[in-house]
């Protein structure tokens, strides 16, 4: 598999981390989940993301999980591994393990104490030095980190660091940031791949501004795939029809707190993983939450039939 | 007009603050906007809310605005006035002016430095003492304030403070909090009115959990009114059909930063106010933003016709 | 009295706001306090500071307080008035009142939502526009605001805004920032007055780096005055002897929470104000706190005698 | 060595992590540093603390460091190991390694997302479950974490969790919290060991309120040892004389940012470690910083001679 580079595009699904009902890492479900994502058109997978259950894994489990996923994907997509760490020594060590296992690149978020432009710039300069030749995505997620990265800081980093190849854009929704970066690209600034997160909640607008695709974990990857494909085909109205059909459920899944539990509930319901369990401690869905999700799925399926996508 | 009390329900629109293109408070538009909201079924209006442009007004302008709105409403709805202040002296002074002008009650948010349960409890105990007999809504908005208020703190406050009559619920989305409060009500805890915010993005689920209505400023108040009415009539599917039609636009308007500019753009486009201008400093919509909004409105209008609500 | 300018130096005391035991603004104590500060060598007073009790005043009380102080000072020092406000309309209105009353300038802190360099720059550009010809100090207090202002942002603002004349430096302790600014001054950058806060806890080092004096409210202004004068006289060891004698008490007074209560306790004990009361809600000293303060004062007085300053 | 329990008292030094000039973990200096701390009267050592350089170590280095220190201490003091982790799996794994190596207990800080009393309570309930029989200290450090833990939450945890044996108190300065906890102990609440941090800046007052000693890393552990011993001997004035002599330097070392660099500079200067280097990325002292430290040391030595402690 080639390394990650600036031309990455399409849908990179943020993969769930499957556990058994008693909290053991479920590698058989990991296989099933890979098949589920790839069959629905994923171009890549992102593992051990910041907001998932990665921090609940031991270092050994993390490596075992990456290894299993890479083998199952077997070259049918790129693997990006989240390696954000409180220190560079462990970031280097995680990166080495991930790349050895066959990942295409890694992803690093800004730690929450960064404030000034120069602090942010220096941090990622140090990241690039620590990672050596490994290409990386910068995860820009102010809602979670509190760190706001100005477009010109991203452009300075892009100009200085050849291994910085992708922006995981999750600045809620930050449409103006995408526009600013793409305008700079037209003026000759080095062009990064931009994949967008936020549960896909702004995907049509993000693509229209110049994003190259989505990187998010919504339990219906066919939404992101469908929207990206319709957008590429120039059929904006079709892209919106698909998007709008899924939006009520995507919105529900994007809740702080129980959103991840809802996502795993749906993945289990769809057969992608064996158990919806989160490893403890973590929220569980109440009967009322489950009723919400079931109603949203029923309405989604009805709406998909109406727009001829069921 | 009677004072605000625990039986408040329906739709209280967070009113915009209209300015002329050169930034002057536009009281003629205030009249027009009142008519616009009332004609679309609003049960009340909330003025000078935390996230609007209230901080841009001088104290004199604030009073003039409240006064004008109350007169135009002329008893056809209740007025709630945001009086959150860094100190209790100015909170008291604002409250006195608002109640003199004819408001039905006031609204107070938790200041960002509160952390422990007891700190939050004491703060609102002091609020109630400062406000005297004036009924108040507690604005619970963790995403903006960073303050998280546990259900049991709300219940303790409700038990102790008779003038605490309403929870403006904006805990994203905090469905479990509504369920917990309503379950406590069934066990005999004093029942508050709960109106929900978050741009209306979770309104159907919030109503199903026991919310009494919405308090938000989405530029199509008929969405909230329609959803609440269908819910009351027991027609959940109809409520959802209406909600889903507006959701793509409501989501866009809920963006941090330019969301308010989008809201005023739509209000001006619909004739509710003369100018979409925000008072400086404030964001303006780019041509790309306007194109986004126009596309969303066109799709909304088409969808409303499909579901027979156009 | 001339307006505030870049040559301001010495000790500007952050004045307390005196209240009676039942919480009324005590203007007679305001007079007494002015005399107390001036007799101990203050070069100026700063009123309505961010961390004092300014937010507990109504707008009318604020103006009355500023007016009283200015009259009592009667040209024997400059008055700076804190006008930080959530909006520019009220900042302008406060500034107009303060300057009408006879203030020499105003002070503005960075609001907590600012993050990127450009956001901070734009905010103060807007401040300068709103304030018109009024000279202002920028209060740089990251510990309270969460906003970190890089030296180059301060230099850009200094170059662009002639009315930006003073940095109230409270970046804990931010010695490197003072060094960086003064090094830039040597390269030709416009020189601002730098007065330092932090309860005076780093005053000797700050002066050595190029600060022009102190702006803080420690209840023994003679400490700041003595340190500044010894420093100017080139007697660093004497400056340190004085500083070290007061440090145990200055440290105690710099506590979050009860520090201000300790400060007012000492001011009342020294006869500068009639009552140590904070306006409600506010902390009160416990008997153990008072015992701490009394012990520290006793030791201070003993130590001052030892170093020949009693 | 016995396990950590509620009777722990005295001085537990937060140990530095020594690196060579090129950033390699320096285990020979670790030995020397252990001797340095023990010779100056330390009762225990705390390793891999939150604010040190622990996050810069790989997992392997962390274990090697703990192992080396335990062997060198050789039963002449207790070792507490910081095991705060984003997930419980890695916390368990770190704890197992530390206890296997011979640690007496572990220390866990509250993660920054905790807000309500019940969230904090649940978190440490989960910690205790994850740690099993291992005794732990709760690190209460609101200035770094943003989490405020009310005294009653600590008391609830103490009542419910027998393995919760120590409070590492770093609530700046939180004297009232110590008083509240000790008052509750008098009413029969289970008594925890309380050791205080904050660079020792409030040690005399903390001991007077009922703290059992200090846990901090000031480069002159003889300050903490001297203050604790004089306090135990009932000689409060002597305790203060010692404390006041060191305070100017302790204050300087407590700076955010360069404080740790100053600490390592002094440790190296005193022969406790070979190199003052921080592992990259980290701040370095400027010539002006070094001049500050040297002046403070010269004045300290002079003052110690004056009070007969040199």
């Amino acid at each position: 598999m080639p390394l990650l580079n600036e031309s990455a595009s399409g849908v990179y699904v943020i993969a769930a981390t499957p556990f058994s009902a008693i909290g053991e890492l479920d590698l058989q479900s990991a296989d099933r989940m890979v098949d589920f994502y790839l069959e629905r058109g994923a171009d890549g997978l992102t593992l051990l993301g910041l907001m998932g259950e990665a921090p609940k894994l031991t270092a050994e489990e993390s490596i075992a999980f990456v290894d299993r996923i890479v083998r199952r994907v077997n070259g049918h997509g790129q693997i990006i591994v989240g390696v954000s760490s409180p220190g560079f020594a462990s970031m280097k060590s995680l990166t080495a393990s991930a790349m050895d296992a066959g990942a295409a690149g890694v992803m690093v978020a800004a730690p929450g104490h960064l404030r000034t432009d120069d602090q942010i710039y220096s941090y990622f300069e140090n990241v690039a030095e620590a990672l050596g030749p490994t290409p990386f995505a910068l995860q820009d997620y102010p809602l979670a980190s509190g760190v706001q990265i100005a477009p010109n800081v991203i452009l300075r980093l892009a100009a200085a660091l050849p291994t910085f190849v992708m922006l995981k854009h999750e600045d809620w929704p930050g449409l103006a940031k995408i526009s600013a970066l793409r305008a700079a690209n037209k003026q000759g600034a080095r062009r990064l791949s931009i994949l967008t997160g936020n549960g896909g909640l702004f995907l049509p607008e993000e693509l229209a501004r110049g994003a190259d695709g989505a990187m998010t974990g919504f339990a219906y990857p066919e939404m992101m795939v469908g929207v990206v494909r319709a957008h590429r085909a120039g059929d904006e109205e079709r892209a919106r029809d698909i998007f709008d059909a899924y939006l009520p459920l995507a919105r529900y899944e994007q809740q702080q707190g129980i959103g991840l539990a809802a996502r795993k509930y749906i993945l289990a319901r769809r057969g992608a993983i064996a158990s919806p369990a989160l490893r403890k401690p973590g929220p569980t869905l109440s009967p009322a939450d489950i009723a919400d999700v079931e109603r949203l799925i029923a309405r989604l399926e009805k709406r998909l039939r109406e727009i001829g996508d069921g």
Side-chain angles (χ1 to χ4, degrees), chain A:
Chain A
M1 211 46 206
L3 290 182
L4 191 69
N5 65 36
E6 302 86 340
S7 67
S9 69
V11 177
Y12 284 62
V13 180
I14 304 270
T17 310
F19 296 103
S20 74
I22 58 165
E24 287 169 341
L25 185 60
D26 177 2
L27 292 177
Q28 282 189 305
S29 280
D31 285 347
R32 230 204 289 183
M33 184 181 67
V34 164
D35 299 347
F36 172 86
Y37 289 144
L38 294 181
E39 285 162 12
R40 276 150 194 83
D43 299 288
L45 298 182
T46 303
L47 310 183
L48 308 180
L50 194 64
M51 297 308 289
E53 299 187 87
K56 296 181 185 170
L57 300 183
T58 62
E60 294 71 32
E61 287 173 326
S62 297
I63 300 306
F65 181 62
V66 171
D67 203 63
R68 182 75 166 234
I69 297 274
V70 170
R71 269 193 259 174
R72 187 69 171 196
V73 169
N74 193 26
H76 295 97
Q78 287 190 311
I79 308 291
I80 299 175
V81 177
V83 297
S84 299
S85 306
F88 289 112
S90 45
M91 190 188 295
K92 281 168 86 157
S93 152
L94 267 165
T95 298
S97 303
M99 299 308 288
D100 282 353
V106 299
M107 184 162 75
V108 181
H113 65 275
L114 300 178
R115 284 290 174 275
T116 70
D117 287 7
D118 282 347
Q119 287 170 355
I120 296 167
Y121 183 86
S122 296
Y123 181 78
F124 284 103
E125 206 175 30
N126 283 316
V127 165
E129 189 191 320
L131 298 182
T134 303
F136 71 95
L138 185 165
Q139 184 172 12
D140 181 16
Y141 193 5
L143 195 66
S145 66
V147 180
Q148 294 185 25
I149 310 181
N152 70 61
V153 173
I154 294 168
L155 292 169
R156 281 171 60 200
L157 288 167
L161 309 173
T163 54
F164 171 31
V165 297
M166 177 184 282
L167 179 69
K168 163 71 189 295
H169 171 278
E170 202 145 14
D171 191 350
W172 188 39
L175 298 174
K177 187 181 277 187
I178 301 175
S179 294
L181 294 173
R182 290 314 186 210
N185 294 153
K186 283 190 186 143
Q187 302 300 317
R190 180 169 158 250
R191 191 188 192 281
L192 302 172
S193 168
I194 301 179
L195 300 187
T196 61
N198 284 312
L201 290 188
F202 289 90
L203 186 52
E205 286 87 359
E206 289 159 346
L207 293 172
R209 301 291 179 113
D212 298 302
M215 185 192 289
T216 189
F218 181 46
Y220 288 82
E222 51 267 62
M223 183 276 271
M224 287 87 82
V225 171
V227 171
V228 168
R229 289 182 183 170
H231 172 78
R232 284 179 182 165
D235 191 348
E236 279 303 318
E237 287 302 305
R238 181 69 190 163
R240 304 277 174 148
D241 286 345
I242 296 169
F243 175 78
D244 289 358
Y246 287 96
L247 182 56
L249 186 55
R251 157 206 68 120
Y252 196 90
E253 204 186 284
Q254 188 65 354
Q255 291 176 73
Q256 304 272 9
I258 64 155
L260 183 61
R263 176 175 295 172
K264 290 186 103 170
Y265 174 85
I266 300 171
L267 288 173
R269 191 183 184 282
R270 303 188 77 195
I273 57 178
S275 162
L278 275 69
R279 184 174 267 192
K280 285 189 193 178
T284 51
L285 298 185
S286 68
D289 296 332
I290 291 174
D292 283 344
V293 173
E294 289 293 340
R295 177 187 287 269
L296 288 165
I297 291 174
R299 287 184 55 86
L300 167 64
E301 291 174 350
K302 173 165 165 286
R303 184 68 189 142
L304 288 177
R305 285 189 298 272
E306 287 173 12
I307 66 165
D309 199 59

